Amino acid sequence: MTGETEALTNTQITEQLKKQHRKLTKGKLAARAILITFGAILMAVGLEIFLVPNNVIDGGIAGISIMLSHITGYKLGIFLFALNLPFIFIGYKQIGKTFALSTLYGIIILSIATTLLHPVPPFTDDLLLATVFGGIFIGVGIGMVIRSGGSLDGTEILAILSNSKLPFSVGEIIMFFNIFILGAAGFVFTWDRAMYSLIAYFIAYKTIDLTITGLEESKSAWIISENHKDIGDAILHRLGRGVTYLKGEGAYTGDEKGVVFCVITRLEEAKLKDIVDEFDSSAFLAIADIAEVKGGRFKKRGIH
């Protein structure tokens, strides 16, 4: 009887997991494919139209591929595909099928696009302009692909998997890899090109972050005050933002505390501080960045 119960329980769990993992609709699948395609093409433009003709590299597998292409004379797209392939397989095993397929599709488009763009003359011979715009194009392209559930660089996958075994964050592991890759550019090209490569990588890194989080950065605010109702009403009517009232308890005193939670944009931060200070200058206020806001009633109401 126990064995039958365990078997039934396992079957039920399997069915629940199947229900949780739903396939994407054709519309969402098409939208994802378009974004990944556009993102991969933007990265290819950043590489072949700006960085590669000026002997400036990016970090990660792209940087290694640029140097190998320069040394051997083979097309950049060949190395981008071949070097990323093992990491796509690892991603399939460890992260998931959807991620691996999205990454594979993105890498294929990137490899084809770089090959087709290779004969196109560079937009500029100015090293600084090429570095800045190359970094921007690469950053926007990679950011779009990451937002669509894929990746265009195998070092990111390796960093995510290594993170659980090493006492470093994903960002620190990626930075460690790129120090060696960007340093190698000094030997393959020249040291001034290596320094320009570092600038391009930094711009791409910041642009990826901006593309993923969006231009209108959101912030969460936690306010603890005896006048929490007044503060919440003022936020609701003056900023047009929804608020949530929570009940808290002080660990030291054991007193009940009124808590206000809300989500605002960075442009509304100063106004929020003024509101809190107006009703309770001694209130506890904590503001933190939010990568993404979805659902609920975050959309701003009209203020009259």
Side-chain angles (χ1 to χ4, degrees), residues 53-177:
N54 292 286
N55 292 333
V56 178
I57 73 167
D58 183 32
I61 297 298
I64 298 172
S65 300
I66 292 171
M67 288 186 286
L68 288 175
S69 176
H70 177 78
I71 293 168
T72 63
Y74 289 110
K75 291 286 193 297
L76 174 62
I78 296 171
F79 292 106
L80 286 171
F81 182 76
L83 295 180
N84 275 300
L85 210 55
F87 297 106
I88 295 170
F89 179 75
I90 294 169
Y92 175 77
K93 289 288 186 182
Q94 300 293 330
I95 301 174
K97 181 180 178 182
T98 304
F99 171 81
L101 290 175
S102 298
T103 301
L104 177 61
Y105 176 72
I107 295 298
I108 290 172
I109 297 297
L110 176 63
S111 302
I112 294 171
T114 52
T115 302
L116 294 176
L117 289 170
H118 186 69
V120 179
F123 283 1
T124 178
D125 294 324
D126 186 295
L127 267 177
L128 185 59
L129 285 176
T131 300
V132 171
F133 280 92
I136 291 171
F137 272 85
I138 289 170
V140 173
I142 293 176
M144 289 177 67
V145 174
I146 291 174
R147 286 196 69 161
S148 302
S151 175
L152 289 177
D153 197 295
T155 53
E156 294 169 4
I157 301 171
L158 186 61
I160 291 168
L161 298 177
S162 302
N163 176 244
S164 59
K165 299 178 182 178
L166 297 173
F168 303 106
S169 67
V170 172
E172 287 171 340
I173 295 169
I174 292 173
M175 182 63 73
F176 179 76
F177 287 140

Side-chain angles (χ1 to χ4, degrees), residues 144-282:
M144 289 177 67
V145 174
I146 291 174
R147 286 196 69 161
S148 302
S151 175
L152 289 177
D153 197 295
T155 53
E156 294 169 4
I157 301 171
L158 186 61
I160 291 168
L161 298 177
S162 302
N163 176 244
S164 59
K165 299 178 182 178
L166 297 173
F168 303 106
S169 67
V170 172
E172 287 171 340
I173 295 169
I174 292 173
M175 182 63 73
F176 179 76
F177 287 140
N178 285 318
I179 286 172
F180 287 98
I181 294 167
L182 295 170
F187 295 98
V188 176
F189 302 114
T190 57
W191 288 108
D192 68 325
R193 292 303 195 272
M195 287 184 279
Y196 276 109
S197 298
L198 185 60
I199 294 171
Y201 170 73
F202 180 77
I203 291 170
Y205 176 80
K206 287 297 180 183
T207 310
I208 290 169
D209 190 44
L210 187 63
T211 305
I212 293 172
T213 58
L215 290 170
E216 191 176 14
E217 186 180 342
S218 300
K219 293 177 177 287
S220 63
W222 297 84
I223 306 152
I224 302 175
S225 169
E226 293 180 357
N227 302 325
H228 64 285
K229 290 278 187 175
D230 294 329
I231 293 171
D233 287 342
I235 293 170
L236 192 65
H237 293 100
R238 295 188 199 175
L239 293 181
R241 294 296 180 190
V243 298
T244 301
Y245 296 121
L246 304 169
K247 288 184 179 180
E249 181 181 333
Y252 183 73
T253 61
D255 296 338
E256 285 192 2
K257 302 284 185 180
V259 182
V260 180
F261 172 77
C262 66
V263 177
I264 59 172
T265 66
R266 58 181 176 176
L267 299 177
E268 296 166 334
E269 183 178 346
K271 182 65 176 176
L272 175 72
K273 290 177 180 177
D274 290 340
I275 290 171
V276 173
D277 192 54
E278 179 185 335
F279 288 97
D280 186 356
S281 59
S282 62

